[in-house]
Amino acid sequence: MPPHPVPLGFVFRSRAKEEKAPADKARVTDSKQTRDPQAPKGRPTPKRSEAQTQRRSVAQTPTTRKEAAKRQRDERRVQMEKQRQALANGDERFLPARDKGPVRKFARDFVDSRFCVAEFFLPMAVVILVLSMVRVGSLQNIALLLWLVVIVMIVVDSIGIAIRLKKQLAARFPDVPKKGAVAYALMRTLQMRRLRLPKPQVKRGERP
């Protein structure tokens, strides 16, 4: 006979109860921990601000193609309105790409601060056209001569503006790309001052 006999109840007791016990304990332990129903399983509960941001982004996501197209039109309309206001007040943040940058701004101010022969081309062209339509030989000759004079004056003035502007840009912006700035300024001289966009930000005679 063994000195410490094994009780029969230990040998024949149900193993199912032993297997259920750890599971019951685990359920009791897990039930005490509260978890956000919106939090993914196995991840920490998100903060309230993060959850609100996620809900807001989901709510703002377009669900149909029509909704997405409408949202794009609205965003484009808002962008165009900002660009229109920028062309009027010179706000660099919303200007078109061709008008952005300190080099382009200086080129605009350089042109707007002086009288340019090219800006009077349209009114002079109207006068010359009217004279050329009058069936008087002397007036038609005068109109032809005026055409030549105006063209020569525009060319000479544009060359002078280009030379002076190149020097100013080289002195003020030595390490900044200046490609196209002179042509940009000369195209601006062909527009009447009141019709220029972006609107002039300096007065005539004021140094840029």
Side-chain angles (χ1 to χ4, degrees):
M1 296 263 327
H4 299 287
V6 179
L8 296 178
F10 177 80
V11 176
F12 296 103
R13 67 179 178 179
S14 174
R15 298 182 63 187
K17 292 181 179 180
E18 293 180 355
E19 293 176 354
K20 287 182 181 178
D24 293 340
K25 290 181 180 179
R27 279 199 294 270
V28 171
T29 304
D30 292 343
S31 64
K32 293 179 181 179
Q33 295 179 356
T34 58
R35 183 175 65 87
D36 191 341
Q38 294 182 351
K41 189 174 181 180
R43 297 181 182 177
T45 303
K47 295 181 180 179
R48 179 178 297 179
S49 59
E50 295 176 357
Q52 290 177 351
T53 303
Q54 292 176 357
R55 287 197 295 269
R56 194 179 298 113
S57 63
V58 171
Q60 290 179 354
T61 303
T63 56
T64 63
R65 183 179 298 179
K66 186 176 181 181
E67 236 180 82
K70 182 179 182 298
R71 182 165 297 180
Q72 287 180 355
R73 287 196 301 270
D74 293 342
E75 290 175 355
R76 194 180 303 114
R77 191 179 300 113
V78 171
Q79 187 64 27
M80 291 296 294
E81 177 61 23
K82 289 181 179 179
Q83 191 175 102
R84 187 188 66 79
Q85 293 178 359
L87 290 173
N89 57 30
D91 190 347
E92 284 281 335
R93 295 174 298 170
F94 304 109
L95 285 176
R98 65 183 181 86
D99 298 313
K100 281 185 176 180
V103 173
R104 296 299 173 98
K105 184 181 186 306
F106 180 81
R108 291 195 303 271
D109 293 345
F110 185 86
V111 169
D112 297 336
S113 64
R114 66 193 65 237
F115 284 97
C116 304
V117 178
E119 68 181 286
F120 302 106
F121 173 75
L122 285 179
M124 288 188 295
V126 172
V127 173
I128 294 172
L129 183 61
V130 170
L131 290 177
S132 63
M133 292 176 63
V134 178
R135 295 185 177 277
V136 177
S138 59
L139 291 179
Q140 290 181 346
N141 292 333
I142 292 173
L144 181 60
L145 182 61
L146 285 176
W147 270 121
L148 295 175
V149 171
V150 168
I151 291 173
V152 171
M153 289 176 62
I154 290 175
V155 170
V156 172
D157 188 51
S158 298
I159 292 174
I161 290 174
I163 293 173
R164 291 193 296 271
L165 179 58
K166 278 184 180 180
K167 290 182 179 180
Q168 292 283 341
L169 290 175
R172 290 174 179 255
F173 308 99
D175 301 324
V176 180
K178 296 174 280 294
K179 184 178 179 180
V182 175
Y184 172 79
L186 293 179
M187 290 297 296
R188 190 172 176 84
T189 62
L190 294 172
Q191 302 170 347
M192 298 179 67
R193 182 182 172 87
R194 67 180 64 181
L195 301 178
R196 292 172 183 170
L197 292 174
K199 295 288 186 183
Q201 302 295 315
V202 296
K203 298 179 180 179
R204 293 191 192 273
E206 183 180 349
R207 295 185 64 181

